[in-house]
Amino acid sequence: MCGPIAMMLPVDRSNPTKKVIQIMLYHLGRLSAYASLGLIFGILGKGFYMAGIQQHISIIVGILMIVIVLIPERVFMKYNFSKPVYKLISNVKTSLGNQFKRKSPDALFTIGLLNGFLPCGLVYAALFGAIAMQNVTLGVTYMLLYGLGTIPMMSAVVYISNFLSIPIRSKMQKLIPVVTVIIGTLFILRGLGLDIDYISPSNMNLFVQANANCHN
């Protein structure tokens, strides 16, 4: 969701200095959202101190990410359990759309803030990292660092948006579900503990030990 929204930011294209300030306000809003999420998921991670629990969560999150992408939104809306979630997302999108009609500094900050709470595969991946920290402070720090790491790319998207045609933007949006499915698959693999370096570490490697667990 971040890329398409950044392309449509109501920034001042004629004043470079003002444009930079507006973009930074947008990023500040995103960082505020990510820090809030880091706090929530850091608290959750503190309770998931057992590696086995983390593995189950990884598999569940991965499956949910893939299911949400593959099943149309209208199908989910038929069931009561999903209506509150989609209603909340719909409200966020509506509020976000209203902010695009304004160009005040607080509007740019609010756009970034709301943007940070919208569904995004990469944010899901970062949130799982925040859970893995098993510490509230580290969870918040992890999400802030994630947000800071996205600033250069997201800023570049704002500047090059004028040079991207609508068909190219459409193709970029179609890549979002693909990336989400890939991340979801990696989550599932990670949870399965298949003893694949960096992708699916074995159960033994997920526990903190006094001595390193090395392969012979």
Side-chain angles (χ1 to χ4, degrees):
M1 295 297 296
C2 298
I5 290 174
M7 292 180 185
M8 299 184 294
L9 282 181
V11 295
D12 191 332
R13 310 285 177 177
S14 60
N15 188 326
T17 302
K18 188 176 180 180
K19 183 177 181 180
V20 170
I21 294 174
Q22 290 174 326
I23 293 174
M24 288 300 104
L25 285 171
Y26 163 71
H27 289 314
L28 183 60
R30 287 198 310 120
L31 289 175
S32 299
Y34 293 152
S36 300
L37 292 171
L39 174 64
I40 295 171
F41 283 84
I43 293 173
L44 290 175
K46 189 175 182 180
F48 301 145
Y49 60 92
M50 292 181 62
I53 295 176
Q54 287 189 336
Q55 285 182 277
H56 293 318
I57 293 173
S58 180
I59 294 172
I60 292 171
V61 170
I63 291 173
L64 288 176
M65 289 174 65
I66 295 173
V67 168
I68 289 173
V69 169
L70 297 181
I71 299 179
E73 182 176 331
R74 63 179 181 274
V75 175
F76 278 112
M77 286 297 292
K78 293 179 181 179
Y79 301 96
N80 290 330
F81 70 87
S82 63
K83 285 183 179 180
V85 176
Y86 278 102
K87 184 177 181 181
L88 178 61
I89 294 174
S90 178
N91 290 338
V92 172
K93 288 182 178 179
T94 300
S95 300
L96 189 60
N98 292 334
Q99 296 302 318
F100 273 96
K101 300 175 183 177
R102 305 167 56 228
K103 294 186 178 181
S104 61
D106 64 298
L108 271 298
F109 175 84
T110 304
I111 289 173
L113 184 67
L114 295 174
N115 185 179
F117 289 118
L118 286 176
C120 173
L122 295 177
V123 174
Y124 293 156
L127 288 176
F128 188 77
I131 291 177
M133 293 293 102
Q134 302 179 13
N135 179 285
V136 177
T137 302
L138 291 178
V140 174
T141 303
Y142 186 94
M143 290 305 297
L144 282 174
L145 291 175
Y146 163 77
L148 289 171
T150 64
I151 287 179
M153 180 61 71
M154 297 307 300
S155 299
V157 168
V158 178
Y159 281 96
I160 67 174
S161 60
N162 289 340
F163 305 100
L164 297 178
S165 63
I166 293 179
I168 292 178
R169 294 186 187 186
S170 178
K171 290 179 180 179
M172 291 177 65
Q173 285 183 282
K174 290 179 180 178
L175 287 175
I176 296 173
V178 176
V179 173
T180 302
V181 170
I182 292 173
I183 294 174
T185 302
L186 290 175
F187 275 7
I188 294 172
L189 290 174
R190 190 266 183 193
L192 292 175
L194 301 176
D195 198 14
I196 303 174
D197 291 340
Y198 307 111
I199 296 177
S200 184
S202 66
N203 297 351
M204 184 63 68
N205 290 334
L206 292 174
F207 287 93
V208 177
Q209 305 172 74
N211 299 314
N213 178 41
C214 301
H215 294 288
N216 293 326

